[in-house]
Structures are given as structure tokens and as C-alpha cells.
Amino acid sequence: AMKRYGATRWDVAQKHLGYLIWEERWIPSDDGETLEEIKVRRDDPEGGTFAGTTLAPLFNLTEETLKDTLRPRFTFYWNYFIDDSTPGHYFGGVGPEVLGTLLLTVLAMCFAIPLGVISAAYLVEYAGDNAVIKIIRVCINTLAGVPSIVYGLFGLAFFVTYVTKQPCILSASLTLSLLVLPVIIRASEEAIRSVPQTYREAAMGLGAGKFRSFLTVTLPAAGPGILTGIILSLSRAAGETAPILFAGAVALGPIPNFAGKWWLQPTRALSYGCHDITVGDKLAMMVPHKQFGMVMTLILLVLCLNIVAIVIRSKMSKKLRGM
């Protein structure tokens, strides 16, 4: 795979072509006291090192055919999505990164969705509109605008230090769940509030209590709106780097062992892998095809997750309309 699916950089190739064809020499200057640098073609008949030899024609041939020689063969490497990468992110695939991103995202949503919907239901159906609830809503809106790096530092200070005692999948997922929780609460709150009051009155008129009417009538009717907030949160959780920077993401490491306590192990992630190549590995930046591949894989992964959520929302809306 390393020989078949490599990458070439045209600017680097041209630079090395210059090293191949041109020879640097130092000659005395006119004053005879200093040296000046000149460049001579290695196949130059008037002083080139290889002038008159059988190798001389190869220099012109290499220069003329370099672009055609290095032109890659277009192909699609399907195993890129499941293979492991080689040290340094030079070759291989992004299988562990895809798995880690899915684990972090799914776990984060498992924590955030129930808490977010329950909180929104309480704020709309039971809390009323007193001063304390207004302060709580202001706090929720403020948390929605807090930079993600602040959540990452909080995850390090609380979850890593006191809950899991180490950076791991669980601490990173909990940090991501806090990041998306305000969005889910606000979206769920608006979706529940948009359900017509007549739905509640009809349910209670048939003998259902307030909790039962909410569970069987209001919540299903608000489902499409709640799913919209979940879709937005899902995309953000999958693409964030700062919250998992200190809480459980690693650049290179073993794949989580599902035979043991995998939630207490660190994991690789697509977003953190892109960050590591950009700021932590200068050699990998010379061949950025792996970084581009990670970015494209992350976009495709988020797109697929969104499509699944949109399909579920569409079926739920049709069911509510009786179609």
C-alpha cells in the first residue's frame, strides 16, 4: 500500500530536479579575495561534470518528462476508511480515527439528548416563568456561546481529574455532551413550545394526566423540532477538536480494546488527527494528502450521520401527518 498509494508534491519535485540538473560551484571573484557561487548544468558541454558521457542525455530527458513521470494514476483506495495508519501519518488509512470519532460522538449524544430533552420539558411544562427560570435560560444561552476550548479545559479540570482519573473516551464524551447540551435544550424547548395548546387540552380532556399527555402527545409532536437540534449538535460534536484535546484524544495509539474497559482508554479522532498533523508533525505536512483525506472523511461521516437523522425526522413528520 505504501508503494501503490503514495503522494507527490510538484513543488518538491521541481526543487529536487534543480538539485539533479544544476551543480553549485564556488569560483574566485574579480578581486581575487572572495568566492562567488555559480550554477552549471551537469550536462553542459563547456564544463559540466557529465558532459560527453552516456549519462548526459538523461538530464534533458528527465527535465522534459518529469511531469508525465510523476503524474499519479487516479484510483480510489477503499481500504483507506478501515486501515490503520503508519507512524507519522504518511500512509495507511483512518480506520481508528473513524471508529474513535463515532464512539465519542455517539456517547456524547447518549449523555446529552436525554438530559437536554428532560431539561427542556421541565422548563416549558413545569417551571413557569419566574425570575429563577429566567436566570437559568440566560445561563443556557450564555453556555451556547462559550468557546469550545473552555469546555476542554473544564473537562480536563473536572472529568479527567475527579471522574475518570485519566484522559479517556468517557471523559472526552462527557465534555462533548456539555458542549452540545445548550443547543439541544434550546432547540427542544422551542419545539415543545411550538406544539399547539389544543393537543394538551385534548389529551387531558380524555383523562390523561399532565405527564402522560406530555409523554404521549406533546413529545411525539415536538419530535421533528427536537431532531433538528440533535442534527446540529451531532455535526458540532463530531467536528470539534478543542473539547477532546485534553480529555481523551491521542494522535497515535492503539485501537480501543472492546474486550476490556474501552471507555477508559484514549482514542484517536479525525478532528484531532488533522490538528496534530497541522501543528505537531512538520514532516507529515510535507505530504498533506493524509490530512486532506481525514478532512474529507470527517465531512462524509458528518454528512452520513446527518442523512440518517434527517430520514428519521422525515418519517416521524409523515407519521404525525398521518401519511
Side-chain angles (χ1 to χ4, degrees):
M2 293 174 66
K3 293 180 179 179
R4 292 179 60 195
Y5 303 106
T8 58
R9 284 279 298 274
W10 178 240
D11 53 343
V12 177
Q14 287 180 307
K15 181 170 66 175
H16 284 279
L17 177 66
Y19 294 153
L20 173 68
I21 294 179
W22 296 92
E23 178 182 357
E24 296 181 355
R25 294 182 183 179
W26 295 88
I27 61 173
S29 60
D30 296 336
D31 57 13
E33 296 180 357
T34 59
L35 297 176
E36 60 180 10
E37 180 185 4
I38 64 170
K39 288 187 177 181
V40 179
R41 282 184 64 100
R42 299 182 189 274
D43 58 342
D44 189 354
E46 300 182 358
T49 305
F50 294 91
T53 67
T54 55
L55 292 177
L58 292 179
F59 291 95
N60 275 331
L61 180 64
T62 303
E63 187 176 17
E64 294 171 358
T65 62
L66 181 67
K67 193 168 186 177
D68 293 331
T69 304
L70 295 182
R71 180 177 294 137
R73 179 172 60 90
F74 290 100
T75 184
F76 193 88
Y77 181 34
W78 289 102
N79 286 344
Y80 180 78
F81 298 111
I82 58 176
D83 281 353
D84 198 355
S85 61
T86 60
H89 298 293
Y90 288 110
F91 300 98
V94 291
E97 284 83 359
V98 172
L99 177 62
T101 302
L102 285 174
L103 288 176
L104 293 174
T105 305
V106 172
L107 277 180
M109 301 311 293
C110 288
F111 292 130
I113 292 174
L115 185 58
V117 175
I118 292 172
S119 301
Y122 174 77
L123 290 173
V124 175
E125 299 289 335
Y126 297 96
D129 197 23
N130 53 48
V132 176
I133 299 303
K134 290 181 179 179
I135 293 175
I136 291 175
R137 286 196 172 98
V138 170
C139 292
I140 293 173
N141 293 333
T142 303
L143 287 175
V146 170
S148 57
I149 188 62
V150 176
Y151 286 97
L153 293 174
F154 175 80
L156 173 64
F158 182 72
F159 295 125
V160 176
T161 304
Y162 297 106
V163 179
T164 61
K165 307 295 184 181
Q166 60 183 344
C168 59
I169 295 174
L170 180 59
S171 59
S173 299
L174 289 171
T175 306
L176 282 175
S177 67
L178 291 181
L179 175 72
V180 301
L181 184 60
V183 178
I184 294 179
I185 292 176
R186 293 298 298 155
S188 301
E189 194 176 352
E190 293 300 325
I192 294 172
R193 190 177 285 111
S194 65
V195 176
Q197 184 64 26
T198 54
Y199 286 22
R200 300 177 178 88
E201 295 172 352
M204 296 180 71
L206 293 173
K210 190 171 185 179
F211 177 74
R212 184 174 180 83
S213 64
F214 170 78
L215 200 62
T216 58
V217 177
T218 307
L219 186 61
I226 295 174
L227 274 175
T228 300
I230 292 174
I231 291 170
L232 297 174
S233 303
L234 190 69
S235 303
R236 189 177 182 189
E240 284 287 351
T241 303
I244 63 175
L245 191 64
F246 312 109
V250 292
L252 291 171
I255 301 175
N257 182 13
F258 292 98
K261 295 182 178 179
W262 55 269
W263 57 89
L264 294 179
Q265 303 173 20
T267 185
R268 292 185 246 173
L270 290 168
S271 57
Y272 185 79
C274 298
H275 167 78
D276 178 71
I277 294 176
T278 303
V279 303
D281 197 334
K282 294 182 179 180
L283 292 178
M285 277 301 296
M286 295 297 294
V287 279
H289 61 285
K290 190 65 176 293
Q291 185 182 24
F292 299 156
M294 282 188 180
V295 172
M296 182 57 65
T297 304
L298 180 58
I299 293 174
L300 292 176
L301 181 63
V302 172
L303 180 62
C304 291
L305 292 175
N306 284 347
I307 289 175
V308 171
I310 290 171
V311 169
I312 295 174
R313 183 182 63 181
S314 176
K315 289 185 177 181
M316 186 178 297
S317 299
K318 289 181 179 179
K319 186 176 180 180
L320 289 173
R321 294 195 300 267
M323 297 177 63

